[in-house]
Amino acid sequence: MTLLNTETTTMTCPVTGASATVPAAPAPSTPAGETEAAPTARGPFTERYLLDPAVNADPYGYLNSLRDHDPVYWSAMHRAWLVTGHAQLMHCLRDPAVSAERVRPLMDAVPEGAREDAERAFSILSRWMVFNDPPQHRRLRQVFQEQFAARAIGRYKTFVERATRAMLARRAVPGRTGDLLADIARPLPALVFARWLGVPQAHGPSFWYWNARVGDLVLGAAQEEREYRTSLQSLVNLEDYLADLVRQRRAEPKDDLISEVLAGGRIGDTVSEEEFVGMLTQMAFAGGETTSNLIVNAVLALLRHPDQLAAVREDPRLVPMVVEEAMRFDGPSKMSIRTAARDFALDGRSVRSGDRMFLVTAAANRDPDRFPDPDAFAVRRGSASHLGFGFGAHFCIGAALARLVAGTVIDVLVREYPDLRLVDQPLTWQLSLLNRALTALPVRY
């Protein structure tokens, strides 16, 4: 997610442009056209850099204090509005003045020497639904709406259950230690999504390598010119591969996502084939990582709260509520990035056109004005009003698939691994502005 210069310890996020030196903060500044928030009278508050390793590892105490101080806070440090209140963030997700178009900051971060490779790659990114606003976003999304509906995803329930048990049987031997991330949380979503998309098993290694390198670009892990070139070329390779797969499915349809969408008749009508292939690259990139992190974070929360784990073991019907509470309590995404498309008012603040906005869902999901006892992990909370999957036009189109895969893994672990517990080892979180992701989850099965 970040660019890390180990000599200067300066970290920069290419998605947002935010930078600072850890632990010292950069000198405050308010870019032209942006308005600093008026000071509040809620007591002393010291801003911290969101990529400070300590904040990254355990962000919630700081995010709570930031939200309590000011739920719409202008951060000169990050050169962005930090929106942390549930009501204020919901307003942003509803307001067309808050734009999802943010390919340009990614392009601007590419080193000069790699720019010649970037034109086609960023043309692909511009076709991703997540980087488009309505009505363009709606037109693109409608192509996949039926295939991502819960009733359509339900067809894969038996396959997911069998794949989960088979993978755990090979990798998670009772009584032995392992890494739950590597053993099941990472490979299972990849397997399920490749099967659903129609990627032959033999092509899996190349397919997921390209996806990982695209992630380096989109999430900011690419640091040097060589890494940017690799990521940009991987995105092009991924598009070429998927374009060929679309041609194959036109000639010989199969039981997979591409064939179903082609059969719907929209490709070549409301959406061009080039747009369709571009969106498939987004689906491929998004198909694994978020669900992997959801599985790991949910299992970690259960193992750290034995009373809640005992409740689920006593009544496995609570598993779907575990998934929802994990999304609220410690979801796989901490925030999303937006830009003000025009001047507008937000909670008494004057947001200017072009201002960058960090919609911090991790803070909004623990807002006491919306959730009683928000820092408690409670599987019987019974509320699906969290913002972990987004809201409105940009509600995660893959939510049903993520719920199915994560819920299946949790259900099997709860029912069939009664001795599952954490190994007493330090946990390390990936340094990321956007993602909430462990590097490993050591457990004893």
Side-chain angles (χ1 to χ4, degrees):
M1 179 58 224
T2 62
L3 300 182
L4 175 59
N5 182 319
T6 56
E7 294 181 357
T8 63
T9 66
T10 297
M11 288 177 284
T12 303
C13 175
V15 179
T16 66
S19 63
T21 300
V22 178
S29 62
T30 303
E34 298 181 333
T35 303
E36 190 165 0
T40 67
R42 304 187 187 184
F45 171 77
T46 302
E47 184 178 5
R48 299 178 67 182
Y49 188 48
L50 293 173
L51 286 176
D52 180 313
V55 175
N56 181 78
D58 187 8
Y60 295 103
Y62 172 69
L63 292 178
N64 286 346
S65 65
L66 172 60
R67 185 193 58 244
D68 293 345
H69 171 71
D70 190 349
V72 180
Y73 178 80
W74 169 253
S75 170
M77 182 181 292
H78 298 87
R79 303 201 306 275
W81 292 98
L82 307 185
V83 184
T84 52
H86 189 279
Q88 294 82 0
L89 202 148
M90 285 282 284
H91 178 100
C92 291
L93 293 174
R94 290 186 174 112
D95 195 329
V98 181
S99 173
E101 199 289 310
R102 55 196 185 278
V103 172
R104 175 50 54 186
L106 286 169
M107 182 69 173
D108 291 343
V110 175
E112 194 64 37
R115 290 292 178 92
E116 63 187 44
D117 299 334
E119 184 174 347
R120 180 179 168 192
F122 283 95
S123 174
I124 298 169
L125 290 181
S126 71
R127 299 193 290 276
W128 285 20
M129 288 182 291
V130 72
F131 293 144
N132 279 274
D133 295 321
Q136 182 83 337
H137 176 272
R138 187 178 304 112
R139 179 179 65 84
L140 297 172
R141 183 182 177 108
Q142 284 177 344
V143 170
F144 295 98
Q145 202 72 42
E146 292 183 11
Q147 286 71 33
F148 277 92
R151 63 182 179 278
I153 296 298
R155 295 170 46 211
Y156 292 88
K157 188 175 190 300
T158 300
F159 170 75
V160 173
E161 289 174 345
R162 289 175 178 171
T164 299
R165 285 190 167 86
M167 194 170 288
L168 283 170
R170 293 195 308 270
R171 302 172 181 232
V173 179
R176 294 187 182 177
T177 59
D179 172 11
L180 192 131
L181 175 62
D183 291 341
I184 186 72
R186 183 175 289 140
L188 181 70
L191 173 68
V192 171
F193 192 82
R195 162 69 180 82
W196 187 47
L197 191 62
V199 175
Q201 188 172 356
H203 299 169
S206 295
F207 181 77
W208 292 113
Y209 171 80
W210 292 329
N211 273 279
R213 301 292 75 77
V214 172
D216 292 343
L217 173 68
V218 175
L219 298 176
Q223 301 179 39
E224 301 173 356
E225 182 178 317
R226 171 184 55 81
E227 293 169 328
Y228 270 102
R229 288 184 181 275
T230 298
S231 293
L232 293 166
Q233 186 58 52
S234 292
L235 181 53
V236 169
N237 290 344
L238 184 62
E239 185 186 50
D240 286 342
Y241 174 80
L242 289 168
D244 185 61
L245 201 59
V246 169
R247 286 190 289 270
Q248 292 178 40
R249 294 299 180 266
R250 277 198 182 279
E252 187 179 350
K254 295 189 176 181
D255 180 21
D256 56 38
L257 172 67
I258 293 175
S259 300
E260 290 173 5
V261 173
L262 290 173
R266 292 180 183 266
I267 309 306
D269 181 15
T270 61
V271 168
S272 70
E273 186 153 320
E274 182 183 45
E275 288 175 320
F276 176 48
V277 174
M279 286 191 291
L280 287 174
T281 66
Q282 179 196 333
M283 301 295 174
F285 161 71
E289 181 175 2
T290 301
T291 304
S292 297
N293 295 337
L294 170 57
I295 293 168
V296 168
N297 294 4
V299 172
L300 175 62
L302 282 171
L303 295 178
R304 282 180 165 175
H305 297 82
D307 59 326
Q308 300 301 298
L309 176 57
V312 180
R313 283 185 167 144
E314 183 178 341
D315 184 4
R317 291 174 299 178
L318 292 172
V319 165
M321 297 169 69
V322 172
V323 174
E324 301 306 320
E325 178 66 349
M327 288 295 297
R328 184 202 68 83
F329 179 76
D330 195 14
S333 174
K334 291 184 286 192
M335 70 176 72
S336 59
I337 310 299
R338 296 290 190 270
T339 305
R342 55 174 172 79
D343 294 356
F344 72 102
L346 177 62
D347 205 38
R349 305 293 191 268
S350 297
V351 180
R352 303 292 181 83
S353 177
D355 282 2
R356 200 163 27 239
M357 307 183 73
F358 293 1
L359 307 188
V360 191
T361 50
N365 280 335
R366 294 200 183 196
D367 189 337
D369 289 343
R370 183 63 187 85
F371 303 100
D373 197 12
D375 292 322
F377 179 70
V379 299
R380 288 192 172 91
R381 187 177 296 273
S383 172
S385 62
H386 63 78
L387 299 173
F389 287 120
F391 179 82
H394 283 276
F395 182 82
C396 176
I397 195 171
L401 182 60
R403 284 166 167 151
L404 171 62
V405 177
T408 301
V409 173
I410 294 166
D411 186 66
V412 173
L413 288 173
V414 165
R415 292 175 185 269
E416 302 177 16
Y417 289 81
D419 297 322
L420 182 69
R421 65 182 186 273
L422 291 173
V423 173
D424 187 15
Q425 293 181 13
L427 297 178
T428 303
W429 297 87
Q430 294 177 18
L431 192 60
S432 170
L433 193 65
L434 303 184
N435 288 352
R436 178 74 173 152
L438 279 168
T439 60
L441 183 59
V443 297
R444 180 174 290 277
Y445 295 107

